[in-house]
C-alpha cells in the first residue's frame, strides 16, 4: 500500500523514538533498585548481582537514551535481560506471562534489535561518526 510505503521515510525517527522510550523505562528500573525511586513497596537489597544489574540498567539506560555507544551498550543490556530472565523468571514458571518475565524478554529483543539497527535519529552516535 502506498500509505505504508510513504511511512518508510520516517524509519530513522521511529527507531530513535523506540530507543529513547525503551531507555527511559529501563532507567526507571535501575533508579528504583539504586535509589528506591520511584518508591517501591518492596525495595531491592543491593547484593553483588542486583547491584550490577542496577548499575547496568541505570547507566546503560542513560547511554541508550542519549544514543551514545548504542550498539555495544544494547548488546550488553540484551545479555543482561537474557540472564535476568533465565535466572529470576524462568525458574518460577515456564510461561512468561505467569513468571513475570515478559518485560525482560521484550527488553532483551528490543536491545538485540538495536544492536543490528543502530541508534536511529536523535542520537549522539550520529554526531560522533560525522
Amino acid at each position: 500500500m502506498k500509505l505504508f510505503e510513504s511511512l518508510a521515510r520516517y524509519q530513522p525517527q521511529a527507531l530513535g523514538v523506540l530507543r529513547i522510550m525503551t531507555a527511559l523505562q529501563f532507567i526507571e528500573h535501575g533508579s528504583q533498585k539504586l535509589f528506591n525511586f520511584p518508591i517501591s513497596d518492596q525495595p531491592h537489597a543491593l547484593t553483588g548481582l542486583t547491584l550490577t544489574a542496577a548499575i547496568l540498567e541505570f547507566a546503560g539506560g542513560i547511554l541508550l537514551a542519549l544514543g551514545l555507544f548504542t550498539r555495544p551498550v544494547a548488546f550488553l543490556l540484551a545479555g543482561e535481560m537474557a540472564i535476568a530472565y533465565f535466572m529470576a523468571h524462568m525458574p518460577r514458571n515456564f510461561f512468561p506471562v505467569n513468571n513475570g518475565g515478559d518485560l525482560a524478554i521484550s527488553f532483551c529483543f528490543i536491545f538485540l534489535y538495536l544492536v543490528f539497527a543502530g541508534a536511529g535519529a536523535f542520537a549522539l552516535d550520529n554526531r560522533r561518526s560525522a
Side-chain angles (χ1 to χ4, degrees), residues 62-110:
I62 290 171
L63 288 171
L64 277 187
L66 296 172
L68 189 59
F69 307 113
T70 301
R71 290 176 194 258
V73 169
F75 181 76
L76 185 67
L77 297 181
E80 181 210 355
M81 287 293 95
I83 291 167
Y85 179 77
F86 287 110
M87 285 185 72
H89 298 284
M90 192 169 170
R92 293 183 202 157
N93 190 294
F94 178 77
F95 298 101
V97 71
N98 291 337
N99 67 26
D102 40 2
L103 186 58
I105 292 170
S106 295
F107 275 134
C108 179
F109 281 93
I110 291 170

Side-chain angles (χ1 to χ4, degrees), residues 2 9 13 22 27 57 62 91 125 128:
K2 212 141 179 72
R9 67 180 152 175
Q13 291 82 2
T22 303
I27 291 167
E57 290 165 7
I62 290 171
D125 282 345
R128 287 184 335 112

